Amino acid sequence: MKQILRKISILLLLGYVGSGLFLYINQRSLLYFPTPILPTEHPEMTLQNEGESINFIVLNEGNQDAIIYFGGNAESMARSSDEIARQFPAFTVYLMDYRGYGRSTGDPSEEGLYSDALKLYDAIRSKYESISIGGRSLGSGIAVYVAAHREVSKLALITPYDSIVNVAKGMYPLFPISSLLHDEYNAISMVKDIKAKTLIIMAENDTVIEKERTHQLIDAFDTALLEVITIKNRGHIDISSDSSYYKSMQDFIGQE
């Protein structure tokens, strides 16, 4: 009997270690979901950064104010471009293809995406009276980073999190996630450096980003700078199908 229990214990241990090793080796393929190259009728621009070519789709050129938008981890900027252009006609909008997404080269990583985001901001800053930042899901962490390191007019965060580490802990509670993850996206640690007025939009039925993760981020903000909206009867994926989704951002950013 003891030998049987010992063998079972060894098998369980090997299974645990093997699963942890699988998560460690494949963590970026579980976090990032690169999108294919898709056609768009909107202009595109490319910036060279750290040996990679980073592609941006540019909407509504010629306006005096700009928005930089960082999408979700499986959100195609080419597919989203027409709707975003229609919703924000008074702003020139920049949509970044993350490294390895769309027409951008390279492999996505937290450090790389942060660097590319600042590269774009610095490249266009002198052209506009103001630049606002938007980020959805994965992109909310990048948006927080830019807002913490550059002057931003408004900051809009859709289904955001406090950190990817905490999100992953909820998904894989049996593993030492803090020791395994390369990309932490510790948004909550950067909130103290944000001076811009901020809008957070939550989905009532979000099953991807737990409410606790968003509420922890909310609690870190200066309440004088923060507005929070919850869209009822919508989840993480279909939040943008609600009529109040874009209206909330338009009202916040100052577009009639």
Side-chain angles (χ1 to χ4, degrees):
M1 187 65 178
K2 288 183 178 180
Q3 287 185 340
I4 294 175
L5 291 175
R6 185 170 178 272
K7 289 181 180 180
I8 291 174
S9 298
I10 292 173
L11 288 174
L12 290 174
L13 178 60
L14 290 174
Y16 176 80
V17 172
S19 297
L21 184 61
F22 175 85
L23 289 175
Y24 180 77
I25 293 173
N26 295 283
Q27 59 181 279
R28 283 185 168 143
S29 65
L30 296 171
L31 176 59
Y32 303 105
F33 298 90
T35 54
I37 296 174
L38 296 175
T40 175
E41 296 181 356
H42 302 282
E44 297 178 78
M45 62 175 282
T46 300
L47 292 178
Q48 301 300 316
N49 189 36
E50 300 175 346
E52 303 297 346
S53 296
I54 310 303
N55 188 70
F56 303 89
I57 300 173
V58 186
L59 314 177
N60 307 328
E61 289 184 292
N63 288 302
Q64 64 183 11
D65 299 302
I67 298 170
I68 301 175
Y69 173 70
F70 304 105
N73 64 4
E75 182 178 359
S76 166
M77 293 297 93
R79 186 173 286 124
S80 298
S81 59
D82 287 346
E83 182 64 15
I84 293 175
R86 187 175 71 84
Q87 295 291 343
F88 299 98
F91 293 83
T92 297
V93 184
Y94 292 82
L95 310 178
M96 185 172 86
D97 281 334
Y98 301 146
R99 297 185 184 203
Y101 287 58
R103 298 186 188 279
S104 293
T105 64
D107 297 310
S109 69
E110 179 182 12
E111 183 179 349
L113 300 192
Y114 286 166
S115 178
D116 297 338
L118 292 186
K119 183 81 172 183
L120 172 62
Y121 180 99
D122 293 341
I124 68 172
R125 180 65 189 95
S126 62
K127 297 173 59 177
Y128 300 100
E129 291 189 7
S130 72
I131 295 179
S132 295
I133 305 293
R136 179 173 178 176
S137 191
L138 174 67
S140 68
I142 304 169
V144 165
Y145 181 86
V146 175
H149 290 82
R150 295 292 188 270
E151 180 183 354
V152 169
S153 177
K154 299 284 182 69
L155 173 65
L157 305 174
I158 301 101
T159 60
Y161 47 82
D162 53 353
S163 75
I164 287 296
V165 171
N166 287 337
V167 172
K169 284 180 178 178
M171 294 179 174
Y172 307 102
L174 298 179
F175 296 94
I177 293 298
S178 298
S179 301
L180 294 176
L181 282 189
H182 297 311
D183 298 343
E184 298 183 354
Y185 290 99
N186 192 0
I188 195 170
S189 69
M190 295 180 273
V191 168
K192 65 183 185 300
D193 298 316
I194 294 175
K195 303 297 187 291
K197 289 187 176 180
T198 301
L199 170 67
I200 289 180
I201 301 179
M202 303 174 60
E204 182 182 36
N205 301 327
D206 197 330
T207 58
V208 176
I209 304 298
E210 295 179 351
K211 287 184 174 63
E212 181 183 359
R213 302 279 58 84
T214 303
H215 282 298
Q216 287 292 326
L217 184 70
I218 289 170
D219 290 343
F221 273 91
D222 180 346
T223 55
L225 295 176
L226 184 64
E227 178 182 353
V228 179
I229 293 174
T230 299
I231 296 184
K232 304 292 185 181
N233 303 315
R234 288 292 186 271
H236 192 81
I237 304 300
D238 66 350
I239 186 173
S240 57
S241 66
D242 192 279
S243 60
S244 65
Y245 175 76
Y246 284 111
K247 181 65 166 57
S248 297
M249 285 185 282
Q250 291 163 353
D251 292 342
F252 170 73
I253 206 168
Q255 177 174 308
E256 297 297 328

